Amino acid sequence: MSSCRATRPGAASPRVETERFKSFSYDELIARDKASLDIFWLRDESLEDTDNLPAPKVIAAEIVEDLQAALDQFSEIASTLSAGSNG
């Protein structure tokens, strides 16, 4: 059975099996019914027709809007946590 490393940068210790994490070998995966290592099911079919995609500047503006909203939410959380630790 192979082990993989933790995904944290700089992590040097191998992952340890737990109730939530189990390591499987390639042979164990292939032996399963309906085993498939294809990830084509992740394809977003709505993006296949590139003629109907929004303009790049629209996509970029939407990304900026989403990131700004996330940053605002994290700023609010940080302020709340900071205020809570001072009191």
Side-chain angles (χ1 to χ4, degrees):
M1 200 177 298
S2 65
S3 63
C4 65
R5 296 198 179 266
T7 57
R8 291 184 323 272
S13 60
R15 293 282 308 255
V16 177
E17 288 191 17
T18 65
E19 186 177 319
R20 292 181 51 131
F21 172 77
K22 170 128 175 67
S23 177
F24 294 96
S25 70
Y26 176 83
D27 292 331
E28 289 173 309
L29 293 174
I30 293 303
R32 291 179 173 198
D33 185 37
K34 299 181 183 179
S36 174
L37 299 179
D38 289 336
I39 58 171
F40 289 108
W41 56 270
L42 295 174
R43 177 182 289 143
D44 186 347
E45 293 179 14
S46 69
L47 299 178
E48 289 182 6
D49 185 8
T50 57
D51 293 333
N52 292 326
L53 288 176
K57 66 180 181 181
V58 172
I59 295 172
E62 289 175 357
I63 292 170
V64 168
E65 183 178 320
D66 290 345
L67 290 173
Q68 187 60 55
L71 182 59
D72 291 344
Q73 290 174 359
F74 278 114
S75 293
E76 186 175 325
I77 291 168
S79 294
T80 301
L81 291 172
S82 180
S85 65
N86 289 336

